[in-house]
Amino acid sequence: MQDQPFLDRLMNDISRHLPADLGRLRQEVEHSVRAVLNETMTRLDLISREEFEIQQQVLERTRAKLEALEKQVAELEGDAAPAAAGRGAPDQG
């Protein structure tokens, strides 16, 4: 993923720090820096903010379902415990 606005802002910052009297060399430096930054961003294997937020929502839903299932299992275990205790002792009648 390439975050073009970020890359453009970064390039503007870099360009501001380059001497203005470099002429053609300035353009070559900017081109080379942009190429290196593009390659670096690609290698980082970043995701977009939108993808991150979608995954965050999926995680929140999964967590809510897990909590509901844990509660359900605890209730079922609670119901099963008294029944098991009642069957465990033989009648002495």
Side-chain angles (χ1 to χ4, degrees):
M1 178 219 82
Q2 292 183 7
D3 190 358
Q4 210 54 43
F6 169 74
L7 197 57
D8 290 340
R9 286 193 314 269
L10 189 56
M11 281 306 302
N12 286 338
D13 288 345
I14 291 170
S15 294
R16 262 188 304 201
H17 291 91
L18 291 174
D21 60 346
L22 289 178
R24 176 95 174 115
L25 181 59
R26 179 187 172 110
Q27 291 175 344
E28 290 177 19
V29 168
E30 288 176 352
H31 179 73
S32 296
V33 169
R34 183 175 289 275
V36 167
L37 289 174
N38 270 325
E39 182 181 336
T40 301
M41 296 282 284
T42 301
R43 260 192 276 140
L44 289 176
D45 194 26
L46 301 174
I47 62 168
S48 69
R49 184 64 162 164
E50 182 181 1
E51 290 172 300
F52 174 80
E53 289 173 356
I54 289 169
Q55 289 302 314
Q56 189 174 24
Q57 291 171 358
V58 169
L59 177 61
E60 289 170 1
R61 285 193 305 266
T62 303
R63 189 173 287 151
K65 286 179 183 179
L66 176 62
E67 289 172 359
L69 288 171
E70 287 175 338
K71 182 178 177 183
Q72 187 178 5
V73 167
E75 289 171 358
L76 290 172
E77 287 175 342
D79 290 345
R87 283 181 291 173
D91 279 337
Q92 297 288 332

